[in-house]
Amino acid sequence: MKEKIFIARNSEPEGSPSEYLGAEVSIGKLSLEMIDELKFLLKNDNLFQEMAGNFGQTYIGSSYLTDLMDINEEFHKNGLIYYEDIEESGDTYSYSTKNWAFVLPEDENFEPNPDFKPAKKIELSSAGFEVISVRTMDIYFKAKGELAKEIKSDFDHIGYTNEPKFKIQTGIANFHSVMYSSGFCGFNLLHSVYVNGNELIRDEDAEEEAGNLYYSSHLLFKDGSLIGWLASNNYSHSFPFDYIESEIPCISPYLRDNDSEVYQSAIKDLIDKIRG
């Protein structure tokens, strides 16, 4: 006998543009051809251009930055952004069924829970040109399946009754270390959920609650060191790029329009670092 299960989560970290903050994240190596193209675009002030939007409107965008999202041989996932604890996320519209619970890191005796699936720490290599691309978007994370009732277990964690539930393990990518080391706010990305090690199906057609794409940010590394920050944003930054300790300026339409001197200095600095 099988039972339907539906898992839904939404998240609104401080600084989020919406209550459905999600992202697509790509990591990969940049070829020398793409580096040469970037230098050419920067030198000739052609990185950003007017592009066609919806309803006959235009916006300032970048075909090159859009293409960077496809540099993804090392990592490519989309999902829900949250800061630190999955319990920070919620289910505002109560889409979830009541027959599941997240596996916690510790059991009722405060000992490590063998069923807990820890987040995967994302790290970079230390050779060549590498890019982390983060495109924020509205996602209300949703996954579903039909599971045998026999695999439900009793839960006696705080906040749960002894009612049998499906144990949900999470697939999470941890970007805290790699972001902090570059002067940015770290975050987690919930991209999958599992029961007994079997991944549930993402209901991606139903996930774009508001359907908004925001902007993409691209962190460029050379031999493991951050050398450039580029973004397609036309407005001020939102989470996870609104809290910045790094002194590196963001090469973006927003900076170009608001501080052309810093914008030109950032371009010169990036070209010099690429050459060096």
Side-chain angles (χ1 to χ4, degrees):
M1 187 73 174
K2 291 194 173 183
E3 184 174 321
K4 290 184 178 180
I5 180 173
F6 198 93
I7 298 164
R9 307 299 286 182
N10 65 316
S11 178
E12 189 178 9
E14 185 176 353
S16 169
S18 83
E19 62 180 327
Y20 318 105
L21 188 61
E24 177 184 4
V25 183
S26 300
I27 302 176
K29 295 281 190 180
L30 282 174
S31 66
L32 292 180
E33 289 78 11
M34 288 205 73
I35 289 295
D36 287 340
E37 182 183 359
L38 176 59
K39 286 192 296 184
F40 177 83
L41 293 171
L42 292 171
K43 285 179 181 178
N44 292 278
D45 196 24
N46 286 329
L47 181 62
F48 303 107
Q49 59 276 149
E50 188 175 44
M51 305 181 78
N54 296 326
F55 310 111
Q57 296 180 331
T58 61
Y59 68 98
I60 303 301
S62 172
S63 298
Y64 182 88
L65 295 186
T66 299
D67 290 343
L68 286 186
M69 294 302 306
D70 294 328
I71 308 299
N72 57 24
E73 71 275 8
E74 295 179 21
F75 182 89
H76 186 208
K77 300 281 186 184
N78 71 55
L80 192 73
I81 282 185
Y82 67 96
Y83 180 63
E84 198 162 84
D85 193 322
I86 188 63
E87 296 299 335
E88 296 166 19
S89 65
D91 182 10
T92 300
Y93 298 108
S94 302
Y95 294 126
S96 300
T97 52
K98 306 295 184 183
N99 56 353
W100 62 269
F102 286 123
V103 174
L104 301 179
E106 297 179 336
D107 62 20
E108 62 274 12
N109 298 316
F110 301 102
E111 296 179 353
N113 193 332
D115 293 323
F116 179 71
K117 184 179 176 67
K120 179 182 178 181
K121 181 180 177 181
I122 301 300
E123 297 179 303
L124 300 180
S125 64
S126 58
F129 291 99
E130 201 164 14
V131 62
I132 299 178
S133 298
V134 180
R135 179 162 56 198
T136 47
M137 64 183 74
D138 285 345
I139 289 181
Y140 202 122
F141 182 94
K142 296 174 182 177
K144 61 185 178 180
E146 291 190 10
L147 305 172
K149 288 185 177 182
E150 297 78 44
I151 65 174
K152 295 169 80 171
S153 304
D154 290 343
F155 264 80
D156 54 4
H157 297 301
I158 295 174
Y160 296 128
T161 65
N162 253 345
E163 177 186 353
K165 294 179 181 290
F166 295 112
K167 289 184 177 181
I168 300 300
Q169 300 166 310
T170 51
I172 296 169
N174 180 336
F175 288 90
H176 283 279
S177 178
V178 69
M179 296 293 284
Y180 279 144
S181 63
S182 301
F184 296 91
C185 182
F187 63 92
N188 288 316
L189 186 76
L190 172 69
H191 54 78
S192 308
V193 287
Y194 304 83
V195 177
N196 286 356
N198 296 312
E199 185 175 353
L200 299 185
I201 298 171
R202 287 273 299 275
D203 192 7
E204 296 192 34
D205 289 340
E207 285 188 341
E208 295 182 10
E209 197 76 11
N212 289 323
L213 285 173
Y214 293 96
Y215 63 88
S216 62
S217 275
H218 309 267
L219 302 182
L220 181 60
F221 296 82
K222 181 181 180 181
D223 299 332
S225 296
L226 179 68
I227 62 169
W229 175 22
L230 307 103
S232 62
N233 65 311
N234 288 261
Y235 305 97
S236 57
H237 292 289
S238 57
F239 186 89
F241 293 100
D242 58 334
Y243 178 78
I244 308 156
E245 291 186 352
S246 173
E247 295 181 357
I248 191 167
C250 178
I251 298 171
S252 65
Y254 181 81
L255 183 64
R256 185 181 67 177
D257 293 343
N258 288 274
D259 197 331
S260 60
E261 186 175 337
V262 173
Y263 178 79
Q264 293 299 330
S265 176
I267 287 177
K268 181 180 182 304
D269 181 65
L270 178 52
I271 292 174
D272 289 344
K273 286 177 178 175
I274 289 174
R275 287 173 176 160

